Amino acid sequence: MLLAPFPPAESQAPSRPDAGHHLSWRARLELGFDATPDGRTVLAHRLHEGPLRVQKALYPEGPAVCHALMLHPPAGIAGGDALTVQVQVGEGAHALVTTPGAGKWYRSQGPLATQRLDFSVAAGGVLEWLPQESIVFDRVRGFTETTVRLHGDAVFVGLDLLCLGRTASGERLTAGSLRLASRIERDGRLIWSEQGVIEGGSRLLDSPVGLRGQPVTGTLLVAAEGIDTALLEACRAVVPTVGEGGVTRLPGLLVARYLGPAAEPARAWFVALWAALRPALAGRPAEVPRIWHT
């Protein structure tokens, strides 16, 4: 989503916000998933620094798919925080990574908050990055960057769902900004690149060519071989019950966009798309993470 010209990258934020009330976090999480000879996927590598971690591997679908619940005890990203998540999926492994609840981008009095996601998937591997929605507070100052490197016939499914403002209390984005960047490569060849800015107080938040006054926007990216016309049409037949959705196919990539008033119908639509796509691309029905129901 391109809501404003993408500004130059900013330097590393200082360790504390101007007000001095928040000790900034530097957090890093590394996860590595491998396939075993008997067809299981195991969490073979786990390293964390700071408040990012995975407690244990879960197997609600059986041993072939490893579910990992990523925890961030501070519950949100504040000014000056710098979070890095690295996930590697080995050849033939299948991993699903999600979160226990909504993430938060808090307001900042100046320092930039950053989140960097770095994913690598080997041939025959599948990575499903399905975090729950992120709530973007008024006067946020953040940058989130996602880089995906795929090899051979690897499959990637990635969800990014944003709630702009705490709508239950009537909050809107009046100031601040959240910058976004995403990039997907397959065998070193770029197949997707997007950069954008959501600016608080921008006319594009209400413009018919922008977000049309809607507080929830989301994107589902599916990078895989075999996204044919029949699968595209099956996805386009899935219509959101509330809000608007659209599905586009690019070479080796399917892009689904949502715009609407609430996170629940957005998530329901993305799950319905996932249910249509997963059997064809990963050979198994969609299994909604149990934590989503709590």
Side-chain angles (χ1 to χ4, degrees), residues 60-94:
E61 302 183 64
V65 183
C66 182
H67 287 220
L69 188 63
M70 191 180 77
L71 305 177
H72 182 224
I77 306 175
D81 288 354
L83 276 58
T84 300
V85 178
Q86 293 181 301
V87 180
Q88 292 188 333
V89 177
E91 187 171 348
H94 188 159

Side-chain angles (χ1 to χ4, degrees), residues 82-278:
L83 276 58
T84 300
V85 178
Q86 293 181 301
V87 180
Q88 292 188 333
V89 177
E91 187 171 348
H94 188 159
L96 187 155
V97 182
T98 187
T99 58
K104 300 177 182 68
W105 287 87
Y106 291 125
R107 64 183 296 171
S108 172
Q109 295 185 358
L112 180 72
T114 64
Q115 174 182 264
R116 287 183 167 85
L117 309 175
D118 192 341
F119 303 143
S120 177
V121 190
V126 179
L127 173 60
E128 295 171 300
W129 169 251
L130 301 175
Q132 297 197 54
E133 66 271 13
S134 292
I135 301 171
V136 181
F137 284 46
D138 187 28
R139 300 183 182 276
V140 67
R141 192 161 180 267
F143 172 51
T144 177
E145 178 183 43
T146 303
T147 302
V148 183
R149 299 176 181 86
L150 305 175
H151 304 275
D153 60 349
V155 174
F156 172 73
V157 179
L159 177 62
D160 185 21
L161 183 57
L162 299 175
C163 302
L164 307 180
R166 291 169 289 178
T167 55
S169 60
E171 181 182 88
R172 291 175 57 87
L173 295 188
T174 63
S177 67
L178 178 65
R179 300 190 290 127
L180 309 99
S182 60
R183 178 185 180 92
I184 302 176
E185 301 175 358
R186 185 178 297 278
D187 295 324
R189 181 176 59 87
L190 183 65
I191 63 172
W192 172 261
S193 180
E194 183 175 51
Q195 301 179 352
V197 183
I198 298 175
E199 293 276 5
S202 169
R203 289 182 296 175
L204 287 173
L205 295 177
D206 295 306
S207 170
V209 298
L211 296 185
R212 307 176 195 172
Q214 298 290 354
V216 175
T217 179
T219 300
L220 180 72
L221 294 175
V222 181
E225 298 179 351
I227 303 176
D228 57 18
T229 301
L231 194 54
L232 174 65
E233 293 305 319
C235 290
R236 286 178 169 171
V238 180
V239 179
T241 57
V242 177
E244 303 175 72
V247 181
T248 303
R249 182 179 62 169
L250 300 172
L253 192 73
L254 183 138
V255 183
R257 305 280 201 187
Y258 177 86
L259 188 61
E264 291 79 6
R267 187 192 305 143
W269 182 63
F270 285 127
V271 167
L273 291 178
W274 182 46
L277 290 162
R278 203 185 199 219

Side-chain angles (χ1 to χ4, degrees), residues 12-36:
Q12 183 87 345
S15 60
R16 293 174 182 268
D18 295 342
H21 295 157
H22 164 68
L23 177 63
S24 300
W25 292 110
R26 296 290 187 267
R28 182 184 190 90
L29 178 67
E30 294 180 10
L31 302 175
F33 298 88
D34 290 337
T36 63

